[in-house]
Amino acid sequence: MLYLTDPDRLSDVLAEEPRYRSTQLHEWLYEHPVLSTTDMTNLPDGLRRDLEPMHWPFTLDLEQTADGGRTVKWLFRCGDGSPVETVLMGYPSRTTLCISSQVGCAMGCTFCATGQFGFDRHLEAGEIVAQVAYANAHLREQPLPNSPSRVTNVVFMGMGEPLANYDRTMEAVRRMIEHMQLSARAITISTVGLVPGMRRMLLEPWPLNLAVSLHSTIPAERSRIVPINDRYPIDDVVAAAGEYYRVKGRRVSLEWTLIAGENDSDDEAIGLARIARDIHAHVNVIAVNPTPMSDDAPPTRDAMQRFVGMLRSKGANVTIRDTRGKDIDAACGQLRLRAEER
Ligand code: SF4
């Protein structure tokens, strides 16, 4: 499998070919990816045919488009049938790809369709990177309206907890930076608060963005929504996030999935604003995307505005994140859910 091979070792799969073929193949895989080896125009026909079955580590199972063509969601299937979800979102100044790092997830967050499936396996570094390459290959043929025609930003916010798959995640990050010209400042690692992984990130050479999912500031309530809070309590998570800001100089973002009647109270807003101020973090609030396996409902528009207004009045920097692709099950794990129902 081409993407499962270290980009520096492509000559291993081209043993019979002259050395310059590895440079050509590298360009087609990482710098200017194409959907099919038939488009690798400077490779001989026979080689293109031989490489085709090895090209992608997955096949496309489902593709859905929403938001006037500005959101595209893919469900891929790996060779072992494992589902991988990836979402491409176009904005005027950036094209963001939300990628998966695991098949399923062991964290069990109550509002999340992926968490409700449980954990299957880690994705390999090559399976993570291939999602970015596939998106670039797709954009080459079908750019999103009024958005850059290459992935400019990558967020690890799809299926899985990237810091639970630490080594493969960081190897994927290395390949994106060293082989795909992505800036570390344009890559965001999102975690539900795995403190040891957050501390390991301090030692990485890159100024990656860190997003920490809090969802509640009240320990017992957070443990209910985010069960890993029992192992890594919120105070330790916030301390690790604050250290990341101090050491790396990168402002951390605090993610808050707003659930009606669960974490939308004034007390929660006041507690969240205090944490955000203390560690100079930015708050992203997003309404929960309902899933069939949970009763969690999004807040009303008024409740959302009140929560965000309270945060701002207490001095927090806040962005309301739009729920892209609502009509296509774009929240993490939801497309897989749809596919399993077929
Ligand atoms: S929200 Fe993230 S960490 Fe929690 S279960 Fe879903 S994929 Fe895992």
Side-chain angles (χ1 to χ4, degrees):
M1 281 295 164
L2 298 180
Y3 284 102
L4 299 186
T5 303
D6 186 317
D8 294 313
R9 313 263 336 224
L10 284 175
S11 53
D12 292 358
V13 288
L14 296 171
E16 310 289 307
E17 299 289 329
R19 288 194 68 79
Y20 65 86
R21 291 274 181 243
S22 330
T23 309
Q24 292 174 322
L25 182 59
H26 183 280
E27 287 180 13
W28 291 120
L29 294 178
Y30 296 100
E31 285 145 64
H32 309 290
V34 285
L35 289 175
S36 164
T37 58
T38 54
D39 296 325
M40 298 181 179
T41 47
N42 56 0
L43 301 186
D45 281 352
L47 182 58
R48 291 188 228 175
R49 273 196 299 277
D50 291 348
L51 294 178
E52 184 61 29
M54 306 160 66
H55 189 184
W56 297 104
F58 40 59
T59 52
L60 180 61
D61 189 358
L62 266 177
E63 176 178 286
Q64 294 185 338
T65 303
D67 304 317
R70 293 180 303 126
T71 303
V72 182
K73 176 142 190 175
W74 295 297
L75 179 69
F76 301 112
R77 292 274 170 196
C78 299
D80 62 358
S82 295
V84 175
E85 294 189 9
T86 308
V87 186
L88 184 65
M89 293 161 286
Y91 302 89
S93 59
R94 67 187 195 280
T95 297
T96 298
L97 189 69
C98 176
I99 61 174
S100 296
S101 55
Q102 298 180 310
V103 180
C105 184
M107 298 298 128
C109 304
T110 49
F111 58 84
C112 168
T114 297
Q116 290 155 12
F117 271 110
F119 173 72
D120 289 341
R121 72 168 173 87
H122 296 303
L123 287 180
E124 296 297 331
E127 291 171 322
I128 298 172
V129 166
Q131 297 170 63
V132 184
Y134 188 94
N136 277 331
H138 173 91
L139 286 166
R140 185 184 173 107
E141 296 191 1
Q142 294 178 60
L144 305 182
N146 306 315
S147 304
S149 56
R150 236 184 125 79
V151 172
T152 59
N153 295 69
V154 169
V155 294
F156 281 78
M157 292 185 179
M159 294 165 80
E161 161 57 58
L163 297 186
N165 187 16
Y166 191 93
D167 291 337
R168 296 175 189 87
T169 291
M170 289 304 156
E171 172 58 16
V173 164
R174 182 191 74 80
R175 294 182 192 181
M176 289 175 208
I177 294 169
E178 294 182 2
H179 294 273
M180 306 182 88
Q181 296 88 43
L182 268 159
S183 159
R185 293 169 192 276
I187 299 174
T188 300
I189 305 290
S190 170
T191 180
V192 79
L194 299 199
V195 173
M198 293 167 73
R199 296 204 182 284
R200 274 182 82 182
M201 280 183 69
L202 295 171
L203 305 175
E204 300 296 345
W206 315 290
L208 299 167
N209 299 312
L210 177 64
V212 180
S213 299
L214 282 187
H215 308 319
S216 177
T217 60
I218 302 164
E221 176 64 6
R222 186 165 192 266
S223 285
R224 205 190 58 71
I225 302 175
V226 182
I228 198 70
N229 188 68
D230 287 340
R231 187 138 158 227
Y232 302 116
I234 183 165
D235 289 351
D236 296 353
V237 174
V238 171
E243 194 176 354
Y244 193 84
Y245 171 74
R246 282 195 303 280
V247 172
K248 291 286 191 183
R250 301 294 291 157
R251 193 172 61 166
V252 173
S253 52
L254 301 176
E255 307 296 312
W256 194 275
T257 297
L258 204 56
I259 307 167
E262 298 280 346
N263 60 0
D264 57 352
S265 67
D266 288 353
D267 283 351
E268 288 277 29
I270 293 166
L272 175 57
R274 188 185 313 120
I275 290 170
R277 280 196 324 267
D278 284 353
I279 64 168
H280 306 277
H282 186 91
V283 178
N284 286 321
V285 177
I286 188 165
V288 72
N289 218 331
T291 79
M293 291 150 88
S294 152
D295 294 333
D296 290 339
T300 61
R301 207 182 154 78
D302 284 354
M304 181 99 159
Q305 292 300 340
R306 201 194 64 238
F307 187 81
V308 169
M310 179 62 82
L311 279 172
R312 290 194 173 125
S313 75
K314 298 295 176 186
N317 291 309
V318 191
T319 302
I320 300 177
R321 281 185 31 211
D322 57 346
T323 41
R324 278 292 185 96
K326 228 175 175 174
D327 48 333
I328 55 165
D329 310 305
C332 140
Q334 294 196 338
L335 201 63
R336 176 186 183 184
L337 197 61
R338 173 65 54 90
E340 314 265 317
E341 287 167 3
R342 283 183 304 192

